[in-house]
Amino acid sequence: MTGPQSLQFVEYLHRGRQESDPKKEVTSDDSAQQRSAPGAPHAKLWETTNLSPTEFADEAAHFFGHSRVSLQEILAATPLISAFSQRFLRETLVFPYEVADRGIHLAVADPTDLAPRRAAEIVLGPDIKITIASSDDLAAALDQRLADHDPTAHAEAGSLPVLREDDVDSLRDLASGAPVVRAVNDLLEKAVELRASDIHIEPFQSGLVVRLRIDGVLRPITAPAGVVPQAVISRIKIIASLNIAERRLPQDGAARLRAGRTDIDIRVAIMPTQHGESVVIRILPKDRGLLVVEKLGFGQADETKLRRLLKLPHGMIVITGPTGSGKTTTLATILSILNEPTRKILTVEDPVEYEIPGINQSQIKPAIGLTFASALRSFVRQDPDVIMVGEVRDTETAHVAVHAALTGHLVLTTLHTETAAAALPRLLDLGIEGYLLRSILRAVVAQRLVRQLCERCRSQKILTDFDLADDPRLATLGFQPGESVPAPCGCERCSGTGYRGRLGVFEVLELDNTLRDLIGEKTDGLEVDQAAIRGGMTTMLEDGIAKCRAGLTSPAEILRVTTTR
């Protein structure tokens, strides 16, 4: 994005929007204008603002004088996408189409980016009318129409080559061929566009099944067609530097690559199954956004408590929750709070999901003996103030982490437990003596992630006697017949799910003298939990109900991820 038009539009967003609504800031700093400077690389301008994609499109259409089109209008027109590569369309986020008696149009999200317009004029001719659509609508239109026009979608299964189990050379050649490479690249790009955290590729007798985990819930998508399933798996192995000849044992790998406009890290896990090899790809975008506590979703009381705990000079703070509950994001946010020139911070992680300037981050490499425990032993000789351990997985790591906290360091780590109180018996089970735990444990934060209601289509629902009879847990949450509660609806922006994005629900268990007295050889997690609640701890369920009543999520989401005590 270059040129005076870009700068003028950025200034308009800064001045015009703030004049019309002083409370609604466009950006928190001058980053948008800096990225708009001549010679700067093209960026997604709408992502540098606090405007929604729809609001940004409205402003762009008003400023540049172009027509504003909706998703329905784009899909109703005749697509002209066959003359362009999928990668070009997805990376530039444009959609060429034709309307009867109205000529050829090019729907764009960013009218200041002239390169795709010039490319379209070369292919379709100079008489192209520019229209403005939101980035969400363009992504949805491309997703639907490219699937309709995929030339491999109609390939007959009988035309695919049949490979023997030991035909590794042919499999390697197929996996390096253009159709398979394109199919895997398109799958990764689609996952990034849909904000997926994981890709699940599962072989069955009928063929490959592909599902994306979006906002914590798996969603089926169309599997790559016209390519040999084994070649797709082998291509992923090649990307992750794995052995394509090994099909009997599990394998784990990693890679750094570019999907569309986004730089991502991927973690690949291969597992042999009855009908082939199952693959799970964890997607870790490099640009994860700002790490600020306010975006996590802590309640006011819990946030105040957490900030007070982070001022302690030493001790241990534990974050708990199942896989995928956002523990790493919470830890990274805490580190960003502590990240000051006066503190030396060391981390050992697996993998390093957030790269934070000013913090020394290490990734474990078990193959060469660099484990959590061995890294921790070296850390204490590096004169740190704060140590972050990605996960306490075994007795050795637990002991080293506890002794690091005893010797004057603030240690942050994670555990896999159901509740905050359950972390105490878990640490004791790992061999930590009760008197040590009473000395060093400062707090335990338990969390889950719930889907956030789509801001564009969320609605209200009046609870009936039937609703409460159908799910009696609603009554235990305090909901009454006739009460209005937030509910999902579904629109193009959220792909009909009614949810878009996630936020955390938390409980912060701070160790006081009463709770420390309960720590012993036979510590009962339930007893600790009840004592903490009596002491004023807000449970995850209560935090979720508060977020539900605030209109951020639905009762069904709270019940999906939390349990009543």
Side-chain angles (χ1 to χ4, degrees):
M1 177 176 53
T2 60
Q5 268 194 325
S6 303
L7 294 174
Q8 291 170 7
F9 185 43
V10 171
E11 291 172 359
Y12 164 76
L13 290 178
H14 276 278
R15 290 199 306 266
R17 294 289 299 186
Q18 291 176 359
E19 289 173 1
S20 62
D21 186 356
K23 296 181 181 179
K24 188 165 190 177
E25 298 181 2
V26 176
T27 59
S28 57
D29 51 30
D30 295 328
S31 60
Q33 190 161 353
Q34 292 168 0
R35 293 181 214 186
S36 304
H42 183 74
K44 295 180 180 180
L45 180 56
W46 59 88
E47 292 184 352
T48 68
T49 76
N50 284 338
L51 300 177
S52 69
T54 299
E55 292 172 332
F56 181 90
D58 292 340
E59 294 295 339
H62 174 74
F63 180 83
F64 291 99
H66 295 310
S67 298
R68 175 76 164 88
V69 292
S70 65
L71 176 62
Q72 290 81 0
E73 292 175 292
I74 296 174
L75 294 178
T78 303
L80 301 175
I81 58 177
S82 58
F84 302 88
S85 70
Q86 289 194 19
R87 175 163 295 189
F88 169 80
L89 296 172
R90 292 189 185 278
E91 288 188 359
T92 58
L93 210 57
V94 298
F95 191 96
Y97 63 95
E98 186 174 13
V99 180
D101 302 326
R102 291 169 55 190
I104 297 173
H105 297 69
L106 183 70
V108 302
D110 182 2
T112 66
D113 187 8
L114 302 180
R117 184 189 309 186
R118 291 170 182 151
E121 288 174 347
I122 292 173
V123 175
L124 302 175
D127 298 327
I128 296 180
K129 299 176 183 177
I130 300 300
T131 56
I132 306 294
S134 74
S135 57
D136 287 341
D137 289 347
L138 285 171
L142 288 171
D143 187 45
Q144 182 169 333
R145 289 295 181 247
L146 288 175
D148 295 341
H149 286 74
D150 186 355
T152 66
H154 305 289
E156 295 181 3
S159 65
L160 299 178
V162 178
L163 298 175
R164 299 192 314 271
E165 286 293 320
D166 58 349
D167 196 355
V168 176
D169 291 335
S170 297
L171 193 57
R172 182 180 285 107
D173 292 340
L174 272 177
S176 302
V180 175
V181 171
R182 183 169 60 248
V184 173
N185 289 345
D186 289 345
L187 179 60
L188 289 168
E189 290 178 13
K190 184 172 185 177
V192 171
E193 287 174 6
L194 295 177
R195 304 173 298 106
S197 60
D198 302 89
I199 305 173
H200 292 247
I201 304 173
E202 300 155 324
F204 293 98
Q205 195 167 7
S206 57
L208 286 181
V209 172
V210 180
R211 296 185 290 174
L212 304 181
R213 189 175 294 279
I214 303 171
D215 294 334
V217 178
L218 286 172
R219 185 187 304 174
I221 63 168
T222 304
V227 291
V228 179
Q230 302 99 303
V232 173
I233 305 300
S234 296
R235 175 61 189 168
I236 295 170
K237 287 183 177 181
I238 291 172
I239 292 173
S241 302
L242 299 178
N243 182 5
I244 67 169
E246 180 56 74
R247 302 192 188 97
R248 301 165 300 170
L249 297 174
Q251 296 188 70
D252 294 318
R256 176 171 294 186
L257 47 88
R258 188 171 182 85
R261 285 179 166 183
T262 306
D263 291 321
I264 61 173
D265 281 342
I266 63 171
R267 298 294 181 267
V268 178
I270 309 285
M271 174 62 69
T273 65
Q274 184 179 2
H275 298 290
E277 292 176 293
S278 174
V279 181
V280 176
I281 305 173
R282 169 64 59 89
I283 300 174
L284 307 171
K286 301 305 295 178
D287 183 13
R288 303 291 292 271
L290 296 175
L291 296 170
V292 292
V293 175
E294 291 76 15
K295 289 188 176 182
L296 295 178
F298 277 100
Q300 184 61 47
D302 285 343
E303 183 179 334
T304 302
K305 190 184 301 183
L306 180 63
R307 289 186 181 275
R308 175 166 47 78
L309 289 166
L310 294 179
K311 294 179 181 178
L312 298 174
H314 50 78
M316 178 183 282
I317 298 175
V318 178
I319 314 293
T320 75
T323 301
S325 61
K327 299 187 298 297
T328 302
T329 300
T330 299
L331 272 182
T333 304
I334 290 174
L335 289 178
S336 69
I337 296 173
L338 296 170
N339 189 15
E340 297 176 355
T342 56
R343 290 192 183 97
K344 180 165 184 176
I345 303 175
L346 301 177
T347 77
V348 53
E349 307 170 58
D350 182 29
V352 177
E353 293 190 25
Y354 292 88
E355 293 183 7
I356 307 174
I359 293 179
N360 298 278
Q361 298 173 267
S362 303
Q363 181 166 322
I364 70 167
K365 299 175 182 177
I368 60 173
L370 181 57
T371 63
F372 282 119
S374 61
L376 269 174
R377 289 194 183 91
S378 299
F379 276 5
V380 295
R381 297 191 290 270
Q382 292 285 317
D383 188 29
D385 298 293
V386 180
I387 296 174
M388 191 272 269
V389 186
E391 183 182 346
V392 172
R393 297 177 178 174
D394 51 48
T395 299
E396 186 182 14
T397 306
H399 276 281
V400 179
V402 166
H403 284 88
L406 281 171
T407 53
H409 305 93
L410 181 61
V411 177
L412 309 172
T413 189
T414 70
L415 273 177
H416 287 261
T417 61
E418 183 182 358
T419 64
L424 276 65
R426 173 60 179 151
L427 287 169
L428 291 169
D429 184 56
L430 286 170
I432 305 301
E433 292 83 356
Y435 71 91
L436 290 179
L437 203 55
R438 287 194 293 269
S439 300
I440 59 97
L441 188 60
R442 300 290 179 259
V444 182
V445 180
Q447 67 179 81
R448 299 288 190 277
L449 291 177
V450 296
R451 291 182 294 173
Q452 194 166 358
L453 288 170
C454 176
E455 294 182 357
R456 182 184 294 182
C457 66
R458 63 184 175 189
S459 60
Q460 293 290 123
K461 176 183 178 180
I462 304 298
L463 290 178
T464 64
D465 291 325
F466 176 79
D467 292 324
L468 272 71
D470 184 52
D471 193 344
R473 294 177 299 171
L474 289 171
T476 65
L477 301 185
F479 293 106
Q480 303 292 330
E483 184 175 353
S484 178
V485 296
C489 184
C491 64
E492 299 90 353
R493 183 171 183 262
C494 60
S495 301
T497 64
Y499 299 95
R500 184 178 173 86
R502 290 190 289 178
L503 75 159
V505 291
F506 301 89
E507 61 186 31
V508 181
L509 186 153
E510 183 177 8
L511 272 291
D512 56 18
N513 291 332
T514 301
L515 295 179
R516 287 191 179 94
D517 290 340
L518 296 176
I519 299 176
E521 275 188 31
K522 298 181 179 180
T523 297
D524 185 345
L526 181 59
E527 186 179 354
V528 173
D529 191 48
Q530 292 171 345
I533 293 173
R534 288 195 299 269
M537 181 184 76
T538 301
T539 66
M540 285 186 287
L541 183 62
E542 292 169 340
D543 187 40
I545 294 172
K547 289 179 170 63
C548 178
R549 295 192 185 281
L552 299 176
T553 189
S554 66
E557 263 306 284
I558 301 303
L559 292 171
R560 184 178 67 86
V561 301
T562 62
T563 57
T564 56
R565 281 171 163 84

